[in-house]
């Protein structure tokens, strides 16, 4: 440069100095103080050593200004671990400028091709407006994340720089930072969501096997579930009507049965009914029908009191073996009964009290004689009123001994019958027994006592004798059920000179589920009838066994055999009847 005049050289230096001062002033104006506030909001608190005061920038220290600009560029370009927006406005225009050691405040370097009088322009940088827009976007997207990690972000040194040579790594960090974290609320929601824990379909899970897969499913009707059953079969018997004069016959037998139970929350109601129709196919002539329907309602009056109401109707033809059977008739009279009762149970500590009132009315139809005429049986119509008080003491939940006192009155519609006797009577009885409640293993009750029914007509002897009643169910093992029933009944009569009789009936039953679709049953029966007024008695022995094979849940085949034998010390009453039955049962 020796060939250049000193005056020209000094002129160039003055121009370069002026250009440098002008560029420094412009850069100071482009980086105002609000930029630091924006950076503080995104990065957290900034130490005082990292922020320069306005007095230092105005002082014109080029070295300090260069360092400040380099640190600011590094902080802008470094990806935050908490969140870094992926928009184009949020990253520097040129990543290489952040890592460069040169500064915009350095003197411009002239080249051989550059005119000596044209100063080099500094590299363009983002304006404060672009930085503010990027900050607003970053703030909106990172609000939730920055609140949860505010303490961690505040502890991070804001002056730390990061290289940006590997753009793929920055993108991975941004994606990880933008991923929504699992909150406590979402975790709780997943725990409560049954579908989130379900790994297999409902149909694929193992279902609990049913206790009785061939039990009737029932039909919903209002608030009741009805389970009807119809059975149709043929009976071959040696005695068509179980009488001393009966002969063999082939009978068609149809049986209809149903049960209905309520699905109420507190109280309960049940209805049971049956109907049996027998008609001769060949042999001894038989044509009869019988049936019964009974309903029961249980109502809880309060915590220690309950009411039980019953109502029933029954229609049964007089049996040919009955003491009141009429000889030489084509059709025995039909006996109909309407009965009802109402009882109240009250518990006081371990003491239990039950008061029950009952009414039963029997009325008879006419008997049809062989010559086509009819014989009235109206003199047998009567009504029985009884009241029973039971007192029990609960020794344990399984054992409750009790005593009963019964009083009653039997009133005939005709005060004097066709033979001239006053048949109305007064009843008095007492019993003691034990009530069992051991769940499915053993339940029921039995009692024994004495009963006396004194007839108003003094010429007739009072009907009296011991009473035995039982209704017990015992299950020695699953699938096996043993039942024992016993009953004592006072039977009245209009036979001249006779008061009636006491009938003792006992029955032992057994049922065994051999397979889920095969059930066996058996029964033994013993009846003893003791006549009052004459020296007579009847003994009836019976036995039966049967099988039921279910083809599916709704239909099955049933078969059974039965034998019955009556032996009496009275003439003309003995008989024997053997029968076999085969039928089809359908249920719903």
């Amino acid at each position: 440069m020796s060939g250049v005049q000193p005056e020209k050289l000094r002129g160039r230096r003055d121009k370069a100095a002026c250009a440098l001062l002008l560029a420094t002033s412009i850069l100071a104006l482009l980086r105002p103080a609000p930029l630091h506030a924006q950076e503080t909001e995104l990065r957290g608190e900034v130490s005082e050593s990292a922020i320069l005061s306005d007095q230092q920038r105005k002082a014109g220290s080029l070295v300090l200004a260069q360092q400040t600009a380099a640190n600011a560029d590094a902080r802008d370009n470094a990806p935050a671990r908490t969140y870094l927006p992926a928009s184009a406005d949020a990253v520097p225009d040129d990543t290489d400028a952040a890592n460069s050691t040169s500064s915009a405040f350095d003197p411009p370097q002239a080249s051989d091709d550059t005119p000596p009088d044209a100063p080099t322009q500094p590299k363009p940088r983002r304006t404060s407006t672009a930085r503010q827009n990027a900050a607003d976007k970053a703030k909106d997207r990172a609000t939730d994340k920055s609140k949860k990690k505010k303490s961690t972000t505040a502890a991070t040194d804001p002056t730390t720089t990061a290289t940006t040579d590997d753009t793929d790594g920055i993108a991975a960090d941004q994606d990880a930072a933008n991923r929504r974290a699992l909150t406590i609320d979402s975790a709780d929601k997943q725990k409560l969501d049954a579908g989130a824990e379900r790994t297999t379909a409902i149909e694929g899970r193992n279902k609990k096997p049913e206790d009785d897969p061939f039990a009737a499913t029932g039909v919903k009707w209002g608030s009741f579930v009805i389970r009807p059953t119809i059975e149709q079969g043929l009976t071959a018997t040696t005695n068509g009507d179980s009488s001393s004069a009966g002969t063999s016959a082939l009978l068609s037998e149809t049986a209809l049965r149903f049960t209905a139970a309520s699905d109420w929350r507190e109280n309960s109601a049940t209805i049971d009914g049956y109907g049996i129709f027998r008609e001769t196919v060949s042999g001894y002539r038989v044509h009869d029908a019988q049936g019964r329907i009974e309903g029961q309602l249980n109502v809880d009056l309060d915590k220690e009191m309950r009411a039980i109401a019953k109502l029933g109707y029954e229609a049964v033809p007089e049996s040919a073996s009955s003491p009141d059977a009429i000889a030489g008739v084509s059709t025995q009279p039909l006996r109909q009964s309407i009965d009802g009762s109402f009882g109240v149970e009250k518990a006081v500590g371990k003491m239990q009290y039950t008061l029950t009132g009952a009414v039963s009315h029997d009325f008879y139809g006419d008997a049809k004689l062989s010559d086509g005429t009819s014989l009235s049986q109206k003199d047998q119509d009567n009504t029985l009123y009884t009241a029973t008080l039971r007192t029990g003491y609960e020794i344990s939940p399984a054992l409750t001994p009790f005593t009963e006192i019964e009083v009653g009155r039997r009133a005939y519609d005709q005060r004097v019958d066709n033979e001239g006797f006053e048949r109305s009577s007064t009843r008095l009885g007492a019993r003691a027994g034990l009530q069992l409640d051991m769940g499915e293993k053993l339940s029921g009750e039995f009692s024994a006592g004495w009963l006396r029914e004194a007839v108003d007509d003094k010429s007739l002897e009072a009907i009296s004798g011991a009473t035995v009643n039982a209704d017990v169910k015992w299950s020695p093992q699953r699938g096996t059920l043993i039942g024992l029933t016993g009953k004592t009944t006072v039977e009245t009569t209009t036979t001249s000179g006779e008061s009636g009789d006491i009938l003792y009936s006992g029955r032992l039953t057994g049922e065994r589920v051999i397979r889920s679709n095969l059930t066996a049953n058996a029964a033994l029966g013993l009846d003893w009838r003791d006549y009052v007024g004459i020296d007579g008695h009847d003994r009836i022995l019976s036995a039966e066994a049967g099988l039921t094979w279910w083809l599916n849940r709704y239909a099955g085949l049933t078969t059974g055999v039965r034998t019955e034998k009556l032996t009496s010390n009275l003439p003309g009453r003995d008989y024997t009847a053997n029968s076999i039955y085969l039928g089809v049962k359908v249920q719903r």
Side-chain angles (χ1 to χ4, degrees):
M1 297 185 356
S2 60
V4 182
Q5 296 179 2
E7 291 81 8
K8 293 182 179 181
L9 183 59
R10 285 194 298 268
R12 291 181 181 178
R13 290 179 180 177
D14 294 338
K15 292 180 180 180
C18 292
L20 180 60
L21 293 176
L22 180 60
T24 304
S25 300
I26 293 174
L27 182 60
L29 292 176
L30 292 178
R31 296 181 59 84
L35 177 60
H36 297 281
Q38 178 266 334
E39 292 175 354
T40 303
E41 183 177 358
L42 287 178
R43 307 303 177 191
E45 297 179 0
V46 180
S47 63
E48 295 180 358
S49 60
I51 303 176
L52 297 178
S53 63
D54 293 338
Q55 291 80 1
Q56 291 174 329
R57 287 197 303 272
K58 292 179 179 180
S61 177
L62 297 180
V63 178
L64 186 58
Q66 180 181 358
Q67 185 64 33
T68 303
N71 292 341
D73 292 340
R75 289 197 303 271
D76 292 340
N77 294 326
R81 302 188 66 85
T82 301
Y83 181 81
L84 183 61
S87 62
D89 294 337
V91 298
D93 297 332
D94 189 357
T95 57
D96 294 337
N99 299 327
S100 177
T101 57
S102 63
S103 173
F105 296 101
D106 292 339
Q109 301 294 331
S111 62
D112 296 337
D113 298 334
T114 302
D117 297 335
T120 303
Q121 297 294 331
K123 196 170 186 177
R125 301 180 59 85
R126 290 183 299 168
T127 64
S128 60
T129 303
R131 291 178 178 272
Q132 187 64 35
N133 292 338
D136 293 340
K137 293 181 181 180
K139 181 178 179 181
D140 293 339
R141 295 179 181 178
T143 300
D144 296 336
K145 192 67 177 181
S146 61
K147 289 181 179 179
K148 295 183 177 295
K149 297 187 176 180
K150 183 176 180 180
S151 60
T152 304
T153 306
T156 305
D157 186 1
T159 60
T160 304
T161 61
T163 60
T164 57
D165 295 334
D166 190 359
T167 57
D168 294 337
I170 295 175
D173 292 343
Q174 292 174 353
D175 182 69
N178 292 335
R179 187 178 296 113
R180 182 181 298 275
L182 181 64
T183 63
I184 297 177
D185 294 339
S186 62
D188 293 341
K189 185 176 180 181
Q190 290 181 359
K191 292 180 180 179
L192 295 176
D193 187 5
E197 297 180 359
R198 184 178 298 160
T199 57
T200 59
I202 296 177
E203 294 79 1
R205 293 187 176 183
N206 294 330
K207 297 182 179 179
K208 181 181 179 181
E210 299 182 62
D211 294 336
D212 188 358
F214 292 92
T217 57
V219 179
K220 184 72 173 179
W221 185 56
S223 60
F224 285 82
V225 178
I226 303 176
R227 293 177 173 85
T229 301
I230 181 171
E231 187 174 342
Q232 177 63 51
L234 294 175
T235 299
T237 178
T238 59
N239 193 330
D241 61 354
S242 298
S243 66
S244 57
T247 59
S248 61
L250 179 63
L251 307 177
S252 172
E253 187 170 330
T254 303
L256 302 175
R257 297 179 177 87
F258 78 92
T259 62
S262 67
D263 58 357
W264 303 340
R265 178 175 300 179
E266 296 179 356
N267 305 321
S268 64
T270 58
I271 302 175
D272 299 317
Y274 77 89
I276 299 176
F277 307 90
R278 302 170 69 230
E279 188 70 33
T280 298
V281 177
S282 64
Y284 189 79
R285 184 176 182 276
V286 175
H287 174 75
D288 62 38
Q290 63 178 341
R292 178 174 176 82
I293 183 171
E294 180 180 6
Q296 178 174 329
L297 175 64
N298 300 330
V299 179
D300 291 333
L301 302 179
D302 59 19
K303 295 182 179 179
E304 301 295 337
M305 185 177 294
R306 184 175 66 161
I308 302 174
K310 296 181 181 180
L311 182 64
Y313 169 77
E314 183 179 45
V316 180
E318 192 71 74
S319 173
S321 60
S322 171
D324 287 335
I326 302 173
V329 298
S330 59
T331 304
Q332 293 289 340
L334 180 67
R335 177 177 61 84
Q336 303 179 70
S337 300
I338 299 176
D339 55 84
S341 65
F342 181 79
V344 177
E345 296 180 354
K346 174 69 174 178
V348 180
K350 292 184 176 295
M351 298 297 298
Q352 297 180 359
Y353 302 95
T354 305
L355 180 61
T356 304
V359 179
S360 178
H361 179 66
D362 297 337
F363 53 100
Y364 294 77
D366 297 339
K368 295 182 180 180
L369 303 179
S370 301
D371 56 4
T373 61
S374 299
L375 180 62
S376 176
Q377 300 294 307
K378 293 293 184 181
D379 59 343
Q380 296 192 60
D381 297 351
N382 66 88
T383 304
L384 177 63
Y385 306 90
T386 61
T388 305
L389 176 62
R390 171 184 285 197
T391 303
Y393 181 80
E394 184 180 303
I395 297 177
S396 69
L399 300 175
T400 304
F402 64 88
T403 60
E404 281 186 351
I405 298 177
E406 179 184 356
V407 295
R409 174 72 179 173
R410 187 187 300 273
Y412 277 80
D413 293 353
Q414 293 183 209
R415 191 177 65 87
V416 179
D417 65 6
N418 297 336
E419 301 295 332
F421 294 93
E422 296 182 8
R423 295 287 179 177
S424 298
S425 59
T426 302
R427 170 179 289 204
L428 180 62
R431 289 177 290 274
L434 181 64
Q435 183 177 352
L436 306 172
D437 187 3
M438 300 181 183
E440 297 180 356
K441 196 68 175 179
L442 180 64
S443 62
E445 66 177 47
F446 61 89
S447 62
W450 189 266
L451 179 64
R452 185 176 188 273
E453 192 167 321
V455 184
D456 290 350
D457 198 312
K458 302 302 180 181
S459 62
L460 298 177
E461 184 180 351
I463 303 173
S464 63
T467 61
V468 177
N469 296 278
D471 186 4
V472 179
K473 290 180 174 58
W474 173 47
S475 179
Q477 62 180 5
R478 179 173 289 275
T480 301
L481 182 63
I482 306 297
L484 175 64
T485 59
K487 187 176 182 180
T488 302
T489 306
V490 174
E491 296 180 329
T492 59
T493 183
T494 55
T495 303
S496 178
E498 297 183 13
S499 301
D501 63 78
I502 296 180
L503 176 64
Y504 301 93
S505 302
R507 190 174 180 85
L508 179 64
T509 62
E511 183 177 302
R512 173 63 181 173
V513 179
I514 301 175
R515 296 177 57 185
S516 60
N517 63 339
L518 183 62
T519 304
N521 60 81
L524 295 175
L526 171 61
D527 295 346
W528 178 268
R529 180 179 286 114
D530 189 10
Y531 294 90
V532 177
I534 59 174
D535 185 14
H537 58 78
D538 296 338
R539 183 187 64 193
I540 304 174
L541 297 175
S542 63
E544 61 182 277
L547 288 172
T548 300
W549 177 36
W550 292 103
L551 304 176
N552 51 49
R553 190 158 201 159
Y554 305 103
L557 301 177
T558 179
T559 183
V561 294
R562 176 181 171 83
T563 181
E564 183 176 288
K565 182 178 180 63
L566 184 148
T567 303
S568 177
N569 61 350
L570 299 178
R573 292 190 55 78
D574 295 356
Y575 73 85
T576 300
N578 301 316
S579 61
I580 183 172
Y581 172 81
L582 178 63
V584 177
K585 180 184 292 186
V586 179
Q587 67 179 8
R588 182 69 175 87

